[in-house]
Amino acid sequence: MSTNVVSINDNDLIDRCISILKNDGVIAVPTDTIYGLAALVNSKKAVQKIYEIKGRLFTKPLAISVGYVEDLFTCSKPTLTKEQLSTGDLLPGPVTLMFERQSLLPSYFNPGINNIAIRIPNCQFMIELAQRLHEPIALTSANISNEPSSVCIDEFKQLWSQIDLVIDGGLLASNDRRGSTIVDLSEKGYFHIQRHGIDCERIIQYLKEHCQLKEKNITL
C-alpha cells in the first residue's frame, strides 16, 4: 500500500487533511456517492492541479462542497429557502444543486460560468472537514476525465502518485457509479435535471411536491 494512503479511521485525519489543503494540496476523499478529488477553492494552485491530475479540460467546471446549508447562501444565490434545503430530503445527500454564483468566489474558479454547483455529501467525514475548514472545497470525481467513476480507491490507483493524500473509506455504500443527481435550480420556480444520478426520482418528487417547482424541459 502506498505511503500516501490512509484509513478513514486514522487518528487526527481531519487535522492532517486541513494541513494539506491549506498548503495547496489535493486529497482523494470518500463521499456518499463516489470517490472525489478535493482542494480548496481559494487555492488557485491546487485547483489547477486537480485539472492536471484528471486530464480535465479547464473549460469544464468543478463543483464545491460545503459543511452547512447556510454556506449555500454565502457561495450562491439559492432560489429555495433554508427550510426547503435542509429537511434532509435534499441536503445532506446525493444531490448537487446549481444556483447563480456569488461574486466572493475567486474569478479563476470556473471562469465565465454564472452558476455554481454545490454539494453537502451525506458523509460525516466530508461534513466535518468542510465545517472545520470554514471555506468551500472544490470537488470532482477521482478518475481520469471521461473514464468510469470510482467506488473504491484501487480503481484510481494510477492517480495516487499525483495526490497528496488518499483516504480509504473502503467500498462505498452507494456502490453506484452514476454519482450525485445534478439539479439546475438557478431559475426561481423551476428545476432542470442536468444529470440523472443516485436517488433522482426521489429528488424530483421532493422538488415537485414539497417545493412546488415545475420541471423545465430544455430542448437543444
Side-chain angles (χ1 to χ4, degrees):
M1 191 67 79
S2 174
T3 53
N4 66 334
V5 175
V6 297
S7 167
I8 196 168
N9 300 314
D10 268 23
N11 292 330
D12 304 319
L13 177 61
I14 299 282
D15 290 330
R16 187 174 176 187
C17 290
I18 289 172
S19 175
I20 290 169
L21 291 171
K22 289 205 177 273
N23 284 283
D24 302 316
V26 173
I27 62 176
V29 295
T31 72
D32 55 345
T33 55
I34 54 180
Y35 275 88
L37 295 178
L40 292 186
V41 167
N42 291 322
S43 169
K44 186 176 183 179
K45 183 177 177 182
V47 168
Q48 185 170 347
K49 188 176 175 186
I50 280 184
Y51 281 96
E52 291 168 355
I53 290 169
K54 285 178 63 74
R56 184 180 177 91
L57 292 172
F58 283 94
T59 51
K60 293 179 73 173
L62 302 178
I64 65 174
S65 184
V66 296
Y68 298 100
V69 168
E70 290 83 356
D71 295 331
L72 273 76
F73 293 83
T74 306
C75 298
S76 72
K77 302 173 183 178
T79 53
L80 297 180
T81 65
K82 180 184 172 185
E83 290 71 31
Q84 288 170 326
L85 290 166
S86 56
T87 60
D89 290 282
L90 285 181
L91 302 174
V95 64
T96 301
L97 305 178
M98 293 175 63
F99 298 110
E100 185 180 342
R101 67 188 276 163
Q102 290 274 23
S103 57
L104 67 80
L105 291 172
S107 58
Y108 60 76
F109 190 77
N110 303 342
I113 296 174
N114 197 40
N115 291 340
I116 187 71
I118 309 182
R119 290 211 65 199
I120 302 181
N122 190 15
C123 169
Q124 190 54 44
F125 164 76
M126 285 300 294
I127 290 173
E128 188 179 342
L129 178 62
Q131 289 179 350
R132 287 190 51 197
L133 277 165
H134 302 296
E135 59 179 301
I137 300 167
L139 186 65
T140 186
S141 55
N143 59 334
I144 293 172
S145 198
N146 299 318
E147 292 291 315
S149 300
S150 305
V151 292
C152 68
I153 64 168
D154 284 337
E155 293 178 341
F156 59 95
K157 197 169 187 174
Q158 73 272 35
L159 304 181
W160 288 3
S161 63
Q162 301 173 71
I163 302 168
D164 295 291
L165 192 69
V166 177
I167 297 147
D168 186 4
L171 178 66
L172 298 183
S174 70
N175 199 15
D176 189 328
R177 297 179 200 284
R178 291 177 299 164
S180 63
T181 290
I182 303 176
V183 190
D184 185 344
L185 292 163
S186 57
E187 185 177 346
K188 193 170 179 64
Y190 294 90
F191 73 93
H192 172 65
I193 303 296
Q194 292 272 27
R195 182 175 73 192
H196 289 74
I198 295 171
D199 274 6
C200 187
E201 295 309 314
R202 181 188 61 77
I203 291 162
I204 289 173
Q205 184 178 1
Y206 176 78
L207 293 172
K208 285 181 175 178
E209 295 181 4
H210 296 274
C211 303
Q212 285 78 51
L213 301 186
K214 295 177 182 176
E215 186 161 10
K216 187 173 183 178
N217 294 313
I218 297 176
T219 54
L220 298 175

